[in-house]
Amino acid sequence: DFVELLSFKRGKLALIRVDLPEESPIINKQLQELELPPSSVLVCIIRADEIVVPKGDTVLKPLDDVIALTLIENKQQLLNYLIGNI
């Protein structure tokens, strides 16, 4: 599940929400291990009823909702990285 929450800076940036599926290639990895696309950052993780502020040692879990900020042109690359090729 993916939702573009907002685009701003004249359509150059996108704030997106992605539900990580169990088969996501980044499940059980620490954030410091990830190689996100350029100009992309994870803003927060929503896990059940908890808001997790992402840090280097944060481990991503199945069904986490990830809020990320990225350049519009990197949006598809970020989605593919987070959930696998779609």
Side-chain angles (χ1 to χ4, degrees):
D1 189 18
F2 149 76
V3 176
E4 184 169 329
L5 300 172
L6 180 68
S7 68
F8 51 98
K9 285 291 189 190
R10 296 191 175 123
K12 293 182 181 180
L13 294 173
L15 187 66
I16 62 171
R17 180 186 60 81
V18 178
D19 297 334
L20 294 182
E22 292 182 19
E23 61 275 4
S24 168
I26 62 170
I27 294 298
N28 297 320
K29 290 189 178 180
Q30 291 185 338
L31 293 184
Q32 62 196 5
E33 298 175 62
L34 303 183
E35 295 183 26
L36 296 174
S39 300
S40 299
V41 64
L42 301 186
V43 177
C44 79
I45 300 163
I46 303 167
R47 183 175 292 152
D49 293 331
E50 179 184 354
I51 295 176
V52 178
V53 176
K55 296 183 175 83
D57 62 349
T58 302
V59 175
L60 293 161
K61 307 266 185 208
L63 307 179
D64 279 353
D65 287 337
V66 174
I67 308 294
L69 181 66
T70 188
L71 290 173
I72 290 286
E73 61 261 24
N74 295 337
K75 183 173 65 173
Q76 190 62 50
Q77 184 181 0
L78 178 61
L79 287 172
N80 290 346
Y81 188 77
L82 295 175
I83 62 177
N85 289 329
I86 55 174

